[in-house]
Amino acid sequence: MLDLTFEPPKPKVISGAKAEWELVIGLEVHAQVASNSKLFSGASTGFGAEPNSHVAFVDAAMPGMLPVINEFCVAQAVRTGLGLKAEINLFSAFDRKNYFYPDLPQGYQISQLYHPIVGEGEVIVDMGPGVARRVRIERTHLEQDAGKSIHDMDPNMSFVDLNRTGVALMEIVSRPDLRGPEEAAAYVGKLRQILRYLGTCDGNMQNGNLRADVNVSICRPGAYETFRETGDHSVLGTRCEIKNMNSMRFIQAAIEYEARRQIAIVEDGGTVDQETRLYDPDKGETRSMRSKEEAHDYRYFPCPDLLPLEIEQAWVDEIAASLPELPDEKKARFVTEFGLTEYDASVLTAEVESAAYFEAVAQGRDGKAAANWVINELFGRLKKDDRDITDSPVSPAQLGGILDLIAAGDISGKIAKDLFEIVYTEGGDPAEIVAERGMKQVTDLGAIEKAVDEIIAANPAQVEKAKANPKLAGWFVGQVLKATGGKANPQAVNEIVARKLG
Ligand code: ADP
Ligand code: MG
């Protein structure tokens, strides 16, 4: 593993009108299980389908229909738990969380309150090279998603789309271990990265497949440390929960706004009401949605339609054996195996596809050069076209081919960039392109020497100046490279020019 410094969470300090305040944040992240069918029915989870076309009878709560647990979704929750270094509960159970909403035909959501499938775990959040925070995960449980109410399609009517009803969600609950907007966003980013590596959630925030309820409170300096020592929540401020955030940028803005709102209330002599709020990105503010409900308001009780979920350790072990290398481990390996800086390793491991691409290029080649080319040339070029590594027109084999030509001294770094552009836009085998288009570097010393002699003979005044000031030799090198169409080996040119000018 990398040698990380685990700094205690660094609180964001906000100066109010009267005092200094710190932030305390805990998140409940809802991650949609990457599964083709729903948690308790065989209906499709496909996004963007015709409204109400992916609805099984049980999703629509037709009388007499019974839920049947989807084993694949359970496996994904276990896999996620293992990725969060969490304890897996061999015994878990489903409860009914009762509430009324037009897009919830059952009148309850099937969730896991008393016996979640996954217990305590942790996420290591990177806060820049060498610095990390440990965020404790309290639990992860399986539950059903609700449907969607649509209020803005018709001035007189509301619509209900049940396609999402019953889709499996994993709710990942953190302890209140985050201390500022940046940390909270970095935590969501890291969680998303882990889920995507595991393949248990696609992490698509725009489609709502990963969204966070963000709990925010404020406290005076020192209170949080007391809480960490004693575990006593009452020393912290009253929290508000900002619902359904599906953008890192909005998460940060909402926390910032919410903290200042609470500070203003408390400094004015008021008290913060525990409530659920919504963030309005257009106005940049949060507003009250409902006063906070307690667990007992939902009349939770064990779901009589489902037996408790008992899984076997051998099955958990099997899933554990199939776990991929996770981001932290991959990053550490890239640093030690390929000699990368931690920063470069972070960039390359951000997405599992980029990491795989890099490894394919770096295998059997100079790791640092490979990292350089992937990060600076390839990522830069893809970004210009608003493309993704998954549809890169240059394959790892092609980029590797370019690196091989540089390493063999066949092309200079400059020509390599031209070659990269050709491969990017036209495709083809780099070595063949170099041969066909005469791009091969001239290492024939006689030819280079001849070119140097010509330049020297044509520029006697420059020669005099360069003899007095050796720094001007660079001008000759430039001229020679220009005369040879950039194909002369720059190192050879440098040496010959230096020798000729004395
Ligand atoms: P409840 O049982 O009412 O749902 P939990 O203790 O389960 O409350 O916490 C729900 C979420 O709120 C968790 O993510 C937790 O980290 C967070 N949280 C709890 N107390 C605070 C606080 N004082 N400030 C900010 N977040 C908090
Ligand atoms: Mg809770």
Side-chain angles (χ1 to χ4, degrees):
M1 283 305 308
L2 285 181
D3 195 10
L4 296 173
T5 314
F6 284 99
E7 291 185 353
K10 205 171 254 158
K12 174 165 176 105
V13 179
I14 298 183
S15 301
K18 297 180 180 154
E20 305 235 290
W21 299 91
E22 290 181 2
L23 272 62
V24 177
I25 302 157
L27 285 91
E28 294 156 286
V29 170
H30 290 91
Q32 180 175 323
V33 176
S35 159
N36 293 331
S37 53
K38 297 182 179 182
L39 183 54
F40 299 116
S41 85
S44 163
T45 59
F47 182 81
E50 180 74 14
N52 298 306
S53 62
H54 292 337
V55 189
F57 288 133
V58 70
D59 304 325
M62 291 294 163
M65 294 296 120
L66 289 173
V68 178
I69 187 84
N70 180 337
E71 180 182 332
F72 180 78
C73 293
V74 177
Q76 300 315 294
V78 170
R79 198 171 161 80
T80 298
L82 293 168
L84 301 177
K85 321 268 188 242
E87 53 181 302
I88 305 300
N89 295 322
L90 299 181
F91 177 95
S92 68
F94 290 96
D95 304 296
R96 286 187 180 178
K97 181 181 185 181
N98 299 281
Y99 64 99
F100 171 80
Y101 214 74
D103 57 27
L104 184 77
Q106 288 173 153
Y108 55 83
Q109 177 191 29
I110 303 179
S111 181
Q112 298 189 305
L113 177 71
Y114 303 109
H115 302 286
I117 185 157
V118 179
E120 293 186 353
E122 72 169 23
V123 171
I124 292 171
V125 180
D126 321 83
M127 298 303 300
V131 182
R133 312 252 189 279
R134 266 183 219 284
V135 175
R136 297 169 299 165
I137 304 296
E138 189 182 314
R139 56 187 277 148
T140 298
H141 61 259
L142 274 168
E143 62 183 30
Q144 303 173 292
D145 204 349
K148 201 165 93 182
S149 298
I150 304 158
H151 304 295
D152 57 3
M153 249 168 75
D154 187 285
N156 303 311
M157 281 189 279
S158 283
F159 297 91
V160 171
D161 177 5
L162 297 182
N163 282 352
R164 204 163 201 142
T165 307
V167 165
L169 300 179
M170 297 177 284
E171 178 171 336
I172 303 163
V173 184
S174 86
R175 300 259 179 214
D177 285 0
L178 297 150
R179 306 300 315 277
E182 298 79 17
E183 279 189 10
Y187 164 76
V188 175
K190 186 61 178 283
L191 199 53
R192 179 175 179 276
Q193 186 191 26
I194 293 171
L195 293 168
R196 283 173 50 77
Y197 266 67
L198 292 166
T200 57
C201 168
D202 69 13
N204 187 332
M205 298 185 76
Q206 216 162 337
N207 290 358
N209 296 353
L210 186 77
R211 46 194 202 261
D213 298 343
V214 183
N215 297 274
V216 181
S217 68
I218 53 160
C219 65
R220 296 301 311 278
Y224 184 79
E225 287 68 23
T226 308
F227 158 69
R228 285 303 288 263
E229 268 160 41
T230 61
D232 178 7
H233 269 81
S234 71
V235 299
L236 298 177
T238 302
R239 72 180 188 274
C240 285
E241 177 181 1
I242 314 164
K243 269 277 178 213
N244 261 330
M245 305 287 302
N246 66 343
S247 135
M248 308 276 194
R249 195 157 56 83
F250 293 161
I251 287 174
Q252 298 194 48
I255 292 172
E256 193 88 27
Y257 174 88
E258 183 55 23
R260 289 179 195 277
R261 186 188 72 87
Q262 294 179 12
I263 291 168
I265 292 173
V266 175
E267 290 199 338
D268 234 27
T271 50
V272 174
D273 290 328
Q274 189 175 333
E275 58 185 6
T276 302
R277 300 179 70 83
L278 274 186
Y279 178 68
D280 179 342
D282 295 326
K283 295 208 175 86
E285 58 188 39
T286 63
R287 60 169 179 269
S288 183
M289 185 174 149
R290 54 174 189 252
S291 65
K292 171 73 183 178
E293 58 296 314
E294 303 287 341
H296 61 251
D297 294 326
Y298 289 113
R299 300 292 190 273
Y300 274 100
F301 66 88
C303 184
D305 289 342
L306 289 157
L307 288 168
L309 192 56
E310 290 187 60
I311 57 177
E312 279 170 13
Q313 186 59 44
W315 189 56
V316 175
D317 293 343
E318 217 175 279
I319 296 172
S322 78
L323 236 52
E325 183 180 37
L326 290 168
D328 293 329
E329 286 88 34
K330 202 184 277 295
K331 187 167 96 177
R333 183 169 62 79
F334 279 12
V335 169
T336 49
E337 190 175 326
F338 298 108
L340 306 188
T341 62
E342 198 193 324
Y343 179 80
D344 282 355
S346 297
V347 173
L348 290 168
T349 54
E351 298 285 346
V352 69
E353 294 89 356
S354 324
Y357 188 106
F358 163 76
E359 267 206 278
V361 177
Q363 216 47 254
R365 302 196 172 90
D366 178 51
K368 275 186 175 162
N372 226 344
W373 272 82
V374 171
I375 295 172
N376 297 321
E377 302 307 319
L378 181 66
F379 287 178
R381 190 66 182 80
L382 290 170
K383 196 169 173 200
K384 219 163 111 190
D385 282 355
D386 209 11
R387 289 175 96 143
D388 207 68
I389 187 80
T390 53
D391 67 344
S392 166
V394 180
S395 70
Q398 286 170 312
L399 185 53
I402 297 176
L403 289 175
D404 291 343
L405 290 165
I406 304 173
D410 284 346
I411 55 172
S412 65
K414 191 184 161 301
I415 293 288
K417 288 185 187 179
D418 297 341
L419 175 61
F420 174 80
E421 185 60 26
I422 295 170
V423 175
Y424 186 96
T425 49
E426 301 171 28
D429 175 60
E432 277 170 24
I433 295 170
V434 165
E436 279 163 17
R437 307 196 189 187
M439 294 167 82
K440 212 169 169 142
Q441 179 160 262
V442 181
T443 32
D444 172 354
L445 295 183
I448 294 173
E449 193 161 342
K450 190 163 157 269
V452 174
D453 285 342
E454 279 168 16
I455 303 282
I456 286 180
N459 299 282
Q462 284 287 343
V463 173
E464 285 314 307
K465 281 193 211 157
K467 280 186 170 156
N469 180 4
K471 276 188 195 146
L472 295 178
W475 183 84
F476 286 91
V477 174
Q479 291 298 309
V480 173
L481 290 175
K482 208 161 135 194
T484 55
K487 284 180 290 181
N489 182 331
Q491 204 183 332
V493 177
N494 266 322
E495 281 164 16
I496 294 172
V497 167
R499 176 156 54 77
K500 297 259 170 190
L501 291 176

XYZ file of all heavy atoms in Angstrom, residues 24-28 138 173-176 215-217 233 236-237 239 292, ligand 1:
166
model
N -20.127 19.645 10.056
C -20.155 18.189 10.221
C -21.118 17.646 9.165
O -22.232 18.141 9.021
C -20.634 17.796 11.635
C -20.727 16.272 11.752
C -19.698 18.364 12.692
N -20.652 16.663 8.435
C -21.445 16.151 7.311
C -21.450 14.623 7.304
O -20.411 13.995 7.516
C -20.849 16.648 5.966
C -20.801 18.184 5.939
C -21.646 16.123 4.768
C -19.775 18.747 4.980
N -22.596 14.046 7.080
C -22.710 12.592 6.888
C -23.587 12.346 5.674
O -24.533 13.084 5.437
N -23.262 11.319 4.893
C -24.023 11.108 3.664
C -24.709 9.756 3.608
O -24.171 8.751 4.078
C -23.110 11.233 2.435
C -22.694 12.645 2.057
C -21.398 12.998 2.743
C -22.554 12.796 0.570
N -25.882 9.763 3.034
C -26.580 8.518 2.714
C -26.637 8.463 1.195
O -27.353 9.236 0.569
C -27.985 8.552 3.310
C -27.960 8.565 4.847
C -29.219 9.166 5.456
O -29.381 10.392 5.407
O -30.022 8.403 5.990
N -21.323 3.226 8.165
C -22.107 2.650 9.247
C -22.769 1.344 8.805
O -22.790 0.363 9.531
C -23.166 3.695 9.604
C -23.969 3.445 10.820
C -25.012 4.552 10.986
O -24.657 5.744 10.847
O -26.175 4.213 11.215
N -24.569 4.231 4.083
C -24.680 5.294 5.090
C -23.329 5.552 5.749
O -22.749 4.650 6.352
C -25.720 4.911 6.178
C -25.908 6.053 7.170
C -27.049 4.523 5.539
N -22.851 6.771 5.639
C -21.566 7.105 6.276
C -21.806 7.617 7.687
O -22.897 8.060 8.028
C -20.823 8.177 5.473
O -21.246 9.478 5.870
N -20.779 7.547 8.492
C -20.806 8.238 9.785
C -20.592 9.723 9.479
O -20.105 10.088 8.413
C -19.672 7.736 10.672
C -19.739 6.260 10.955
C -20.294 5.993 12.330
N -20.381 4.564 12.573
C -21.332 4.000 13.301
N -22.266 4.752 13.864
N -21.356 2.706 13.486
N -20.895 10.586 10.441
C -20.684 12.016 10.177
C -19.200 12.363 10.250
O -18.763 13.105 11.121
C -21.499 12.697 11.279
C -21.618 11.702 12.364
C -21.554 10.347 11.738
N -26.406 15.161 4.919
C -26.761 15.673 6.246
C -25.720 16.685 6.693
O -24.523 16.389 6.682
C -26.815 14.531 7.261
C -27.900 13.526 6.912
O -29.048 13.705 7.295
N -27.531 12.508 6.156
N -26.186 17.860 7.074
C -25.266 18.938 7.441
C -25.639 19.505 8.804
O -26.822 19.766 9.073
C -25.338 20.098 6.406
C -24.367 21.217 6.767
C -25.068 19.598 4.997
N -24.636 19.693 9.653
C -24.864 20.447 10.894
C -23.653 21.329 11.146
O -22.617 21.171 10.502
C -25.106 19.503 12.077
O -23.923 18.795 12.384
N -23.644 11.931 20.191
C -24.159 12.785 19.121
C -24.681 14.124 19.630
O -24.754 15.084 18.872
C -25.319 12.080 18.386
C -24.880 11.270 17.209
N -24.360 10.000 17.323
C -24.874 11.548 15.880
C -24.071 9.534 16.124
N -24.356 10.447 15.229
N -23.135 17.529 19.081
C -23.146 18.124 17.735
C -24.416 18.952 17.548
O -25.372 18.834 18.305
C -23.092 17.021 16.673
C -21.839 16.140 16.681
C -21.962 15.042 15.632
C -20.589 16.974 16.427
N -24.409 19.752 16.507
C -25.597 20.556 16.212
C -26.690 19.707 15.585
O -26.467 18.559 15.200
N -28.953 18.445 12.690
C -28.632 18.372 11.265
C -29.862 18.577 10.390
O -30.992 18.319 10.807
C -28.027 17.013 10.943
C -29.029 15.874 10.986
C -28.345 14.567 10.645
N -29.293 13.482 10.490
C -29.736 12.744 11.490
N -29.330 13.003 12.720
N -30.587 11.771 11.257
N -38.323 16.660 9.664
C -37.685 15.339 9.681
C -38.570 14.311 10.371
O -39.083 14.531 11.454
C -36.335 15.433 10.393
C -35.661 14.102 10.664
C -35.104 13.464 9.395
C -34.500 12.098 9.731
N -33.991 11.410 8.552
P -31.428 8.532 11.573
O -31.399 7.277 12.385
O -32.285 9.597 12.127
O -31.645 8.289 10.116
P -28.618 8.383 11.547
O -27.888 8.414 12.835
O -28.822 7.071 10.908
O -29.984 9.145 11.705
O -27.855 9.293 10.547
C -28.297 9.523 9.265
C -27.176 10.240 8.539
O -26.956 11.505 9.128
C -25.852 9.505 8.609
O -25.208 9.586 7.346
C -25.068 10.282 9.633
O -23.684 10.276 9.369
C -25.605 11.679 9.480
N -25.529 12.482 10.699
C -25.882 12.099 11.949
N -25.700 13.116 12.815
C -25.214 14.164 12.118
C -24.829 15.512 12.446
N -24.916 15.979 13.679
N -24.392 16.288 11.452
C -24.321 15.843 10.188
N -24.654 14.604 9.822
C -25.110 13.771 10.756
